[in-house]
Amino acid sequence: MMAARNLWDEIPATVPGAAARRQLGAARYAFRSKTSSVAWWGSFMLLLVTAFCVMMVFVISGESEWTNAILFIILGGCTFLGAISVPLAARFRPVAWCAVFENGVVYQYGSQPPIAGAWDEITGCQRHATDLVRNGVKMSTTHSVYVQMPVGNFMVSGDTPGAQEIGSLIANGWSAVQNRIAEEDATARMAELAELLETGGRVAFGPFTVSLAGLEHAGTVLDWKRISEVELMGSTVCVVVTGERKPVREPVSGVPDAVLFLTVSDALRRAARQTG
């Protein structure tokens, strides 16, 4: 994994305080957007070429030497000022800063107040990779990650390895927390369902109804011992019944909490076979 030489050398002085207040844990990686020097020199060369072309037009037109001298001074001065102003404007434009911590992320744009949030406070995270293609040849790839939080949204983008690294860390950190929350929620709901089923209750999942007696579908109750598989195949929930040529199929979009349904059904099916 890439690492910044010194995390706090890479981000504004306002960020460490914000990170400490949010208790985001140990620092892991910092990213700063940078202006490409190629763009500066490209602008500079464009100004030179433009000045040269304009001067050639006047030379060919046969104007006097004094007129050409004055034009040379004017165009030379404009070119010099442009060559200085373009890099300076790029250097002093607002810079985006982003730092990833063990328990969250901090972002700041220019002099605006930093945005800080823990992983579980992020409500959305999207990554994109856009290729720049010229004449059928890929010139570069811009990596961007868009983060949504109640305190504010931000996007980190760039065509450098650092931009790709920060996007991966943010997306992976958020995904890990989302998976943990989903697992904890599923465990808690499984415990509630187990208690309900043990007391003779029934739980409906769209076209399916689960109980200790079996799996009910379309008015028919299938004994758990007869069910060999309850699985997700593509976008379809399939219930394979022993002795039946065709499995019971339902679109996963019509089965609420499909993952929980599959987990409960598999547990009841296995338990029935062990007791049998």
Side-chain angles (χ1 to χ4, degrees), residues 8 11 44 46-47 53 68 104 113 151 184 188-189 192 208 212 229 245 252 256 272 275:
W8 303 128
I11 60 179
F44 176 62
L46 179 62
L47 289 171
C53 292
N68 290 335
V151 294
E184 293 175 352
R189 296 190 64 184
E192 295 177 359
F208 298 105
L212 292 180
E229 290 291 343
R245 296 181 58 184
V252 68
T275 57

Side-chain angles (χ1 to χ4, degrees), residues 74-238:
I74 294 175
L75 292 175
C78 293
T79 302
F80 178 75
L81 292 176
I84 294 177
S85 62
V86 169
L88 287 178
R91 177 173 178 80
F92 291 103
R93 72 176 184 177
V95 177
W97 310 77
C98 188
V100 173
F101 298 83
E102 181 181 358
N103 300 321
V105 63
V106 174
Y107 172 85
Q108 185 174 37
Y109 180 76
S111 60
Q112 297 180 3
I115 300 172
W119 297 123
D120 58 358
E121 293 177 319
I122 296 178
T123 57
C125 181
Q126 299 178 351
R127 291 183 65 195
H128 299 282
T130 305
D131 294 333
L132 175 61
V133 180
R134 291 179 180 174
N135 298 324
V137 179
K138 185 173 73 172
M139 306 299 295
S140 63
T141 301
T142 299
H143 303 275
S144 58
V145 57
Y146 181 72
V147 180
Q148 296 173 292
M149 289 192 292
V151 294
N153 305 330
F154 67 87
M155 183 177 70
V156 179
S157 180
D159 58 359
T160 64
Q164 183 178 10
E165 178 74 8
I166 198 76
S168 299
L169 288 174
I170 293 175
N172 293 340
W174 179 69
S175 297
V177 172
Q178 292 300 305
N179 292 337
R180 177 178 57 80
I181 293 174
E183 291 177 0
E184 293 175 352
D185 181 65
T187 301
R189 296 190 64 184
M190 279 288 291
E192 295 177 359
L193 286 178
E195 184 178 353
L196 177 62
L197 294 173
E198 287 175 358
T199 58
R202 301 163 70 245
V203 181
F205 292 91
F208 298 105
T209 300
V210 174
S211 67
L212 292 180
L215 179 63
E216 182 178 345
H217 179 266
T220 302
V221 178
L222 304 171
D223 191 287
W224 290 113
K225 295 179 181 180
R226 294 186 55 206
I227 298 176
S228 58
E229 290 291 343
V230 180
E231 58 184 351
L232 180 64
M233 298 183 63
S235 59
T236 305
V237 174
C238 295

